[in-house]
Amino acid sequence: MRILHLISRFDFGGAENHVRELCNEQIALNHEVILATRNGRQIELLDKRVKFIRIHALLSNLILSQVILAIYIILRYRVNIIHGHQRLPIFAACIAGLLTGVPVIATVHGRVRHDLRSVLVRKLVKRIIFVSSRVLTVSRHYRSIKHKSAVIPNGIPLPVKLPDIKPFTIGYFSRIDSRHFEVIMHLVSAIELLNVKYPNLTLELYGDGDEMAKLILLADEENRKLKRKAIHCKGFIETMDSLNSFPELVLGVGRVAIEALARGASVIPVNYKRMGEIVNENNYEWYAKNNFVNINGQPPSQEAIYTHLNGYFEKNNEYRKTTQLLSQKINSDFCINKIAAETINIYKSLLY
């Protein structure tokens, strides 16, 4: 099978990581895979057998250019399936698919109202994959698209080697932008409040972005105030597999939460919109269905983050006892082999 993936960006993020892993696994399953996108650091981790077609940044926001390029690729490589990710590539894929007769699949990584904004797209796309069941069921378009929709979560490759867990260490993995910076400020404030009770508590911040310089200043100021290096700006990492040691507790949602649980860390689902409870045996299935986002939660605040961190470290020995079980569940539910196979089955349902 010859598969074309279209995505706007190919730097690091939930959708981009997912596309890279899916391409690599589909190649491993002996399919021909073509990826058309802008340049980005994900390319270094892409299987060399994937045919990579670079889209110039200036052209990536022009829908006509994307449609023409998609048609060229479809005809040049005799593509069987087009798989679009993110709003503009999905739109371009649908127009190209209409003109060439090639079926189009779309994965919604965000919200239907954004990724599938156009009525034409919702009509033309043959199947829609959601990484969270909640995103599908709360959409105002649910009734018109449910018959062509399926829920397949983000997949991850199983860790090559389980890292050593660092006690009393908190990890936060994200883009360092204005939205996440607010969460980080709450985290830093919570560390300051917890310092007396847990004098060895540290916070490790992974990622880069527009607010990186501001973050370094914040960390330096806090470390001087605490008279120790409690806040560590680790910067950009390509994959979590590069870490030989790993935080005991990670705050994050989606792929970050999945990868952290797979490595034996405890997880509190947090992003700039929602905050949840510590993932445990009782709430795991609910969080797994919702991409590890507390869909009923409120935005995180300094008080809420402090309360949750304090509650975790008061009973961290108890929480640590369940990490092996949760890791096994993740490996079973989110293994990229399983996710890729389910995606291929959707392709086949349209072709055969």
Side-chain angles (χ1 to χ4, degrees):
M1 192 183 306
R2 288 177 291 278
I3 306 157
L4 169 61
H5 287 276
L6 297 173
I7 186 169
S8 292
R9 303 173 299 276
F10 208 50
D11 211 24
F12 284 80
E16 294 92 328
N17 287 22
H18 175 73
V19 170
R20 182 247 302 167
E21 296 292 358
L22 189 58
C23 287
N24 288 350
E25 190 59 30
Q26 289 176 342
I27 278 286
L29 293 172
N30 296 319
H31 298 285
E32 296 179 39
V33 180
I34 305 156
L35 171 63
T37 182
R38 278 157 50 178
N39 220 350
R41 288 174 291 189
Q42 290 276 5
I43 296 171
E44 301 299 322
L45 302 175
L46 193 65
D47 191 301
K48 302 305 179 187
R49 294 172 293 175
V50 175
K51 175 67 177 175
F52 179 77
I53 298 176
R54 177 176 173 268
I55 301 176
H56 194 281
L58 294 177
L59 300 179
S60 63
N61 293 322
L62 300 176
I63 189 64
L64 181 60
S65 298
Q66 288 210 31
V67 171
I68 293 172
L69 177 61
I71 292 173
Y72 167 76
I73 296 171
I74 291 165
L75 299 178
R76 169 70 176 80
Y77 296 100
R78 294 182 295 168
V79 168
N80 304 120
I81 285 285
I82 316 169
H83 194 153
H85 310 260
Q86 299 171 335
R87 183 171 63 87
L88 286 180
I90 291 173
F91 189 95
C94 287
I95 302 302
L98 174 66
L99 296 175
T100 60
V102 177
V104 176
I105 313 292
T107 292
V108 175
H109 297 276
R111 290 286 182 267
V112 173
R113 65 175 179 267
H114 182 265
D115 289 358
L116 305 179
R117 183 184 301 177
S118 165
V119 175
L120 182 63
V121 167
R122 294 194 297 274
K123 182 178 180 180
L124 292 178
V125 68
K126 298 300 183 184
R127 293 297 299 272
I128 307 169
I129 296 173
F130 288 83
V131 299
S132 165
S133 61
R134 177 72 173 182
V135 174
L136 167 62
T137 56
V138 300
S139 170
R140 64 180 179 177
H141 304 293
Y142 173 68
R143 289 187 178 181
S144 64
I145 64 175
K146 65 178 181 178
H147 67 284
K148 60 170 72 175
S149 298
V151 177
I152 302 178
N154 285 316
I156 63 166
L158 300 184
V160 176
K161 179 185 177 183
L162 291 180
D164 297 326
I165 296 297
K166 291 186 282 189
F168 291 97
T169 303
I170 302 166
Y172 192 74
F173 300 76
S174 74
R175 290 190 181 96
I176 311 300
D177 56 21
S178 58
R179 297 181 303 182
H180 291 99
F181 192 79
E182 186 174 350
V183 180
I184 292 171
M185 287 195 297
H186 293 328
L187 266 170
V188 169
S189 298
I191 296 294
E192 184 177 340
L193 293 173
L194 291 165
N195 185 61
V196 175
K197 192 172 183 180
Y198 306 105
N200 297 322
L201 189 61
T202 60
L203 171 63
E204 296 183 345
L205 303 166
Y206 293 88
D208 63 7
D210 296 339
E211 301 289 339
M212 194 64 191
K214 189 176 175 182
L215 176 62
I216 292 172
L217 290 175
L218 174 66
D220 288 343
E221 180 183 348
E222 189 64 25
N223 289 336
R224 282 195 299 269
K225 191 183 298 184
L226 296 177
K227 297 180 180 179
R228 67 184 182 91
K229 194 166 183 180
I231 316 299
H232 298 257
C233 297
K234 296 290 190 176
F236 170 78
I237 59 168
E238 288 188 340
T239 69
M240 290 188 183
D241 269 338
S242 64
L243 301 177
N244 294 320
S245 56
F246 205 78
E248 160 182 356
L249 175 65
V250 170
L251 276 65
V253 298
R255 187 184 181 91
V256 168
I258 294 167
E259 292 215 44
L261 287 168
R263 285 163 174 78
S266 299
V267 167
I268 299 177
V270 177
N271 63 10
Y272 65 95
K273 288 183 178 179
R274 302 277 188 269
M275 182 163 192
E277 305 288 333
I278 298 166
V279 178
N280 56 49
E281 295 174 79
N282 297 324
N283 60 28
Y284 169 84
E285 298 296 339
W286 185 82
Y287 273 124
K289 284 176 58 179
N290 294 295
N291 201 29
F292 292 91
V293 176
N294 181 12
I295 54 176
N296 302 318
Q298 297 297 314
S301 64
Q302 177 184 328
E303 181 182 2
I305 287 179
Y306 167 80
T307 300
H308 280 77
L309 292 181
N310 186 54
Y312 170 80
F313 285 109
E314 283 182 340
K315 298 180 180 179
N316 64 333
N317 289 332
E318 294 180 28
Y319 288 118
R320 299 301 304 154
K321 293 176 183 177
T322 65
T323 55
Q324 184 176 358
L325 174 62
L326 295 178
S327 178
Q328 291 171 350
K329 284 179 174 288
I330 288 289
N331 292 343
S332 173
D333 296 341
F334 295 92
C335 175
I336 188 63
N337 309 71
K338 175 183 176 183
I339 302 308
E342 290 179 5
T343 306
I344 291 294
N345 284 338
I346 287 182
Y347 299 167
K348 289 180 178 178
S349 71
L350 295 175
L351 294 176
Y352 311 119

